[in-house]
Amino acid sequence: MSEKVIVLPWTNVYGLARTLVALGTAGTLAASSAEALFRPVATVGDYPLCDSTTSASLFCLAPDNYSHLTWLKWGCVAALPVVASGWRPRFTALPHAYINYSVFAGIAIVDGGDQIALILSMLLMLPALGDRRRWHWQPDNERTIDTTASRALALVGVSALVVLRLQMVVVYLQAAVAKLPHQEWQNGTAMWYWGNNLEFGPAPWLDTLIAPVISTPLGVALMTWIPLAIEGSLVLCLLLPQRLRWWAMGAGITFHLAIALTRGLWSFALAMSAGIVVLFLPLGSTIHASTPSRPRRDKDDPDAGQEQEQQPTPQAQPQ
């Protein structure tokens, strides 16, 4: 009997996810001053708090000095583009996860983007630690799994990507289910309240386009229920054939870009798009200019060569 096949995780799919997460965190830090990131919070205290587990944050090296915090912030901003470039994933994986932990634990007001960025960077760290490529964009055509250590690294990497997929499904399931009990989401008027909110509503230039839509019953109903339908498709995506996943993936990324455009949550959009990329593309597949290729498997698999002969022009297959 042949040994079980291990899908290789080291492709540019997980690399693209790492890049998106790193760019989102870099944007948050670069666009915000130290005074805004580490402002005091009523009933909580001055940030960074630096107590218990949060004391491990990078920003606890200078908790009471905005000048030093600014230097630490820009140090992170300088490091994150290196991560985003894809250079030496196994060397940049731990610094990437540590920076995201420091941001999440250190800044005063975190949002969902900071939280999901931390989770994704921790999970993406596991395949990255076993990635021997110079750049995470390169194909790993010569990689073979012929030792116990290499098989363990491949298994850990693939397992982390599976957990990442399940995490994204849970996020969207919670997002959809949490809306359903509220009457505004049931009757299709929720987006009218969001669109007219002075604090979280769209920018004035964009409001001229959105206001006429949400002022009509059909328009506001569609803008309310379409996000629910998109979130539902993201929850069920692993049960869909790959040809339908393309549409759901496009809808999900467009949905988050629309949120970023109207709410200004660009780091959140980039982090969620990173998760969507891993969620929808087959494990072990590689992104080419046309379509992702078939997932690469261990070359020791006796059926691998036979499968390639039968399918000279592979297409993406659902997992």
Side-chain angles (χ1 to χ4, degrees):
M1 295 181 63
S2 62
E3 297 181 8
K4 292 185 179 295
V5 174
I6 301 176
V7 176
L8 301 185
W10 305 295
T11 71
N12 58 8
V13 171
Y14 105 94
L16 176 59
R18 294 183 70 236
T19 294
L20 293 174
V21 174
L23 290 177
T25 306
T28 296
L29 294 175
S32 306
S33 66
E35 290 78 8
L37 291 172
F38 307 105
R39 61 193 305 173
V41 176
T43 73
V44 179
D46 296 335
Y47 276 78
L49 293 178
C50 299
D51 57 5
S52 187
T53 57
T54 61
S55 61
S57 170
L58 173 67
F59 301 110
C60 287
L61 295 176
D64 301 316
N65 190 311
Y66 279 124
S67 177
H68 291 169
L69 287 171
T70 299
W71 281 107
L72 292 172
K73 183 197 78 160
W74 284 110
C76 294
V77 173
L80 287 169
V82 178
V83 177
S85 72
W87 180 78
R88 298 294 187 188
R90 60 177 174 171
F91 297 146
T92 59
L94 280 171
H96 182 201
Y98 180 58
I99 289 173
N100 279 107
Y101 163 77
S102 297
V103 171
F104 180 77
I107 66 175
I109 302 176
V110 296
D111 61 20
D114 303 315
Q115 185 174 22
I116 197 66
L118 171 60
I119 295 172
L120 295 186
S121 64
M122 294 292 289
L123 291 174
L124 293 171
M125 175 183 66
L126 296 179
L129 289 175
D131 194 343
R132 299 184 302 192
R133 294 175 296 171
R134 184 179 180 87
W135 302 92
H136 68 208
W137 308 108
Q138 294 175 322
D140 200 15
N141 295 329
E142 302 301 322
R143 185 67 175 263
T144 58
I145 303 180
D146 50 8
T147 66
T148 301
S150 60
R151 288 181 181 276
L153 289 172
L155 182 59
V156 168
V158 171
S159 299
L161 296 180
V162 171
V163 172
L164 192 157
R165 292 172 123 191
L166 296 177
Q167 173 68 75
M168 295 302 297
V169 169
V170 171
V171 168
Y172 287 113
L173 177 63
Q174 192 277 336
V177 171
K179 295 181 178 70
L180 296 180
H182 299 281
Q183 184 177 1
E184 293 81 5
W185 287 98
Q186 295 175 14
N187 60 28
T189 61
M191 292 308 297
W192 184 91
Y193 297 99
W194 282 108
N196 289 282
N197 189 293
L198 297 178
E199 185 174 359
F200 296 104
W205 68 270
L206 192 59
D207 188 52
T208 58
L209 301 176
I210 295 179
V213 177
I214 62 175
S215 63
T216 64
L218 178 60
V220 71
L222 288 176
M223 288 192 67
T224 300
W225 291 333
I226 287 178
L228 286 174
I230 292 175
E231 290 172 347
S233 69
L234 297 176
V235 171
L236 300 174
C237 68
L238 295 179
L239 304 178
L240 301 176
Q242 188 62 47
R243 65 179 182 277
L244 296 181
R245 289 192 198 180
W246 300 120
W247 293 98
M249 182 175 71
I253 293 176
T254 302
F255 170 56
H256 285 293
L257 290 178
I259 293 176
L261 190 63
T262 56
R263 306 282 187 262
L265 300 175
W266 289 100
S267 61
F268 176 72
L270 289 172
M272 297 303 288
S273 296
I276 287 176
V277 166
V278 178
L279 174 63
F280 279 87
L281 296 182
L283 291 173
S285 63
T286 301
I287 300 175
H288 295 297
S290 56
T291 182
S293 67
R294 177 182 293 275
R296 285 197 63 244
R297 302 176 186 273
D298 183 355
K299 290 185 178 180
D300 293 338
D301 176 28
D303 299 326
Q306 188 176 25
E307 182 179 325
Q308 291 176 359
E309 292 179 2
Q310 294 175 350
Q311 301 203 20
T313 55
Q315 300 293 320
Q317 299 293 327
Q319 295 297 309

